[in-house]
């Protein structure tokens, strides 16, 4: 049945819940072992994620149409996997099996335990005589290890219709230790006048809708290559559910109950298609995605969720002058539980670099209207100034070593010094923020715009601003962090080369970005 926004709002849809049984072995669930399948069941690729020193999650999803009578009987299916220390699989390090559950769309997540720290592994899946492509993954260094360096890339915002995922293919060639995706992995709606590809529906609402959208994106060869190249750490932003939603509040006529129904569908589909480790028992419209990743003593990374727990955007959202709601210090972007968890980690960390991987820009983005009044973008941290001040005060008081903020969402590149008081240009620098542009969202983009000079003039803490597409490549050691801004001239055509548009460094113990 095709759903319009009107019929969705009138009827509402109920969805299946996420099952903790997805982590059980095939034998434990009595899964059917297929001697043959009718085609390639792995055409959505392979992936791994959430690396720890002794474990990593590996993922795949079976094409349901290849499963024959098992599909009609709605039975779990057994999938085998192999782990090796070389891509040739000359020696098999480990074998095992898992159950692909119909309740989870025949996706498979295996949390591989007992691995060695800081080590490359290769994995592949098998069912009915078919073998998947090979994926490369890597565990995190031991918690007390001091690696000489670590390399990762981060990206966000890949609107399928706006261009080709060429940047992801370039990321695959970097052989990163980790890839971080900061959200808007899919887009739930169609927008733009010059689209070069097309969604399979204008807007999505149901679990089947979200599954079909992920399948469309996952069929992209460049996205598959990036997933197979390294472990990923993923979080969501708004478009995995609905544009600019805040907790259970939509920007349109959806009621909170209706948005939570839709949110449950979006969250379940996200889990089904991502190589992510989630707390057991999480289900429905409430799914904790904030979590830590530690990489020896070199880096502690907190993966944050600035969407699920936030207060509604102030002043009716958008770029607005301040209002009473905006000045309400009780409003939150993180929610109390996540904020308390984050503050504890930041207070107790002894890592050289402390990274907050999150969605929306933390640095102030000041603009002025025709009356010369200050205006603020209410969807980003500017819309929650009280909580930003609380976070920055906490970082200063705890003397958290070398805070770094990683950000997506805004479809442009920025380098921001995070000041203790943005109204005072010479106030203390507390942290450094690297904001990555989109993979495709917004189309080809440009190096500068008519407002570039004014933006930089109004925001002296901004050290770089650019609107091309691409990603950010980061290399860190105990003494230095370097971020290289990789851009493409076009995404409206496939295969364009990548180049480094700008590079910035942060010296350990000296917050603030310096042009390399």
């Amino acid at each position: 049945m095709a759903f319009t926004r009107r019929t969705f709002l009138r009827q509402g849809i109920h969805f299946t819940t996420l099952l903790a049984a997805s982590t059980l072995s095939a034998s434990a669930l009595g899964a059917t072992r297929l001697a043959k399948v009718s085609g390639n069941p792995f055409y959505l690729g392979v992936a791994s994620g959430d690396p720890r020193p002794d474990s990593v999650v590996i993922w795949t999803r079976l094409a349901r149409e290849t499963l024959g009578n098992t599909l009609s009987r709605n039975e779990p299916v057994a999938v085998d996997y192999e782990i090796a220390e070389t891509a040739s699989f000359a020696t098999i390090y480990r074998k095992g099996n898992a159950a692909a559950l119909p309740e989870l769309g025949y996706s498979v997540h295996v949390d591989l335990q007992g691995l060695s720290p800081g080590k490359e592994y290769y994995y592949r899946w098998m069912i009915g005589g078919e073998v998947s492509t090979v994926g490369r993954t890597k565990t995190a260094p031991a918690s007390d290890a001091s690696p000489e360096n670590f390399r990762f890339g981060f990206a966000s915002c890949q609107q399928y219709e706006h261009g080709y995922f060429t940047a992801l293919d370039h990321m695959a060639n970097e052989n990163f230790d980790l890839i971080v995706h900061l959200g808007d992995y899919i887009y739930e709606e169609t927008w733009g006048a010059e689209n070069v590809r097309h969604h399979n529906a204008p807007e999505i609402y149901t679990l089947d809708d979200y599954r079909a959208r992920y399948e469309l994106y996952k069929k992209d060869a460049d996205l598959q290559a990036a997933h197979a190249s390294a472990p990923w750490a993923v979080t969501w932003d708004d478009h995995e559910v609905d544009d600019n939603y805040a907790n259970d509040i939509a920007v349109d006529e959806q009621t909170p109950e209706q948005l939570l129904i839709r949110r449950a569908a979006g969250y379940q589909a996200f889990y089904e298609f991502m190589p992510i480790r989630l707390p057991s028992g999480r289900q429905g419209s409430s799914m904790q995605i904030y979590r830590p990743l530690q990489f020896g003593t070199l880096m502690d990374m907190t993966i944050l969720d600035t969407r699920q727990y936030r207060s509604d955007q102030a002043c009716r959202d958008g770029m607005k002058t301040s209002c009473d709601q905006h000045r309400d210090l009780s409003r939150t972007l993180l929610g109390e539980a996540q904020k308390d968890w984050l503050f504890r980690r930041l207070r107790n960390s002894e890592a050289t670099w402390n990274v907050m991987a999150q969605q929306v820009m933390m640095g102030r983005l000041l603009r002025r209207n025709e009356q010369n009044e200050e205006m603020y973008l209410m969807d980003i941290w500017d819309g929650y100034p009280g909580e930003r001040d609380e976070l920055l005060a906490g970082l200063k008081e705890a003397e958290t070593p070398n805070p770094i903020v990683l950000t997506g969402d805004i479809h442009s590149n920025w380098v921001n010094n995070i000041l203790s008081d943005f109204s005072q240009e010479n106030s203390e620098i507390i942290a450094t923020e690297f904001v990555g542009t989109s993979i495709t969202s917004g189309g080809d983009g440009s190096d500068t715009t008519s407002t570039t000079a004014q933006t930089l003039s109004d925001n002296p803490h901004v050290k770089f601003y650019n609107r091309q597409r691409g990603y950010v490549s980061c290399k860190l050691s105990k003494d230095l962090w370097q971020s290289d801004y990789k851009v493409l001239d076009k995404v409206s055509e496939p295969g364009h080369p990548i180049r480094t548009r700008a590079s910035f460094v942060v010296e350990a113990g000296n917050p603030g970005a310096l042009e390399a």
Side-chain angles (χ1 to χ4, degrees), residues 308-353:
Q308 182 175 185
Y309 312 107
R310 65 160 67 193
S311 304
D312 192 16
Q313 291 93 339
C315 316
R316 300 182 64 83
D317 206 355
M319 180 69 74
K320 300 289 180 59
T321 56
S322 188
C323 64
D324 289 343
Q325 187 184 19
H326 181 235
R327 293 184 288 271
D328 180 356
L329 299 184
S330 69
R331 297 173 64 255
T332 181
L333 189 67
L334 298 172
E336 289 302 315
Q338 180 178 202
K339 182 168 63 175
D340 290 347
W341 169 83
L342 173 62
F343 282 18
R344 285 196 302 273
R345 289 195 68 83
L346 295 174
R347 282 196 302 267
N348 298 323
S349 176
E350 297 180 356
T352 301
W353 302 98

Side-chain angles (χ1 to χ4, degrees), residues 34-50:
L34 300 179
K36 188 175 178 57
V37 291
S38 61
N40 174 20
F42 303 113
Y43 65 66
L44 299 183
V46 302
S48 68
D50 281 2

Side-chain angles (χ1 to χ4, degrees), residues 117-162:
K119 188 175 179 63
E120 270 188 347
Y121 292 94
Y122 296 86
Y123 61 95
R124 63 188 180 190
W125 301 88
M126 292 152 289
I127 184 174
E130 296 286 336
V131 182
S132 73
T133 57
V134 173
R136 169 189 173 269
T137 193
K138 191 174 183 180
T139 52
S143 58
D144 59 351
S146 301
E148 291 186 6
N149 58 70
F150 189 86
R151 293 181 62 254
F152 73 94
F154 71 91
S156 66
C157 303
Q158 49 197 43
Q159 217 283 10
Y160 180 88
E161 299 174 306
H162 289 185

Side-chain angles (χ1 to χ4, degrees), residues 419-440:
L419 307 181
S420 59
D421 182 356
F422 282 105
S423 67
Q424 302 294 324
E425 181 179 342
N426 296 320
S427 67
E428 182 180 2
I429 300 173
I430 301 296
T432 309
E433 180 178 29
F434 295 110
V435 183
T437 187
S438 63
I439 292 293
T440 57

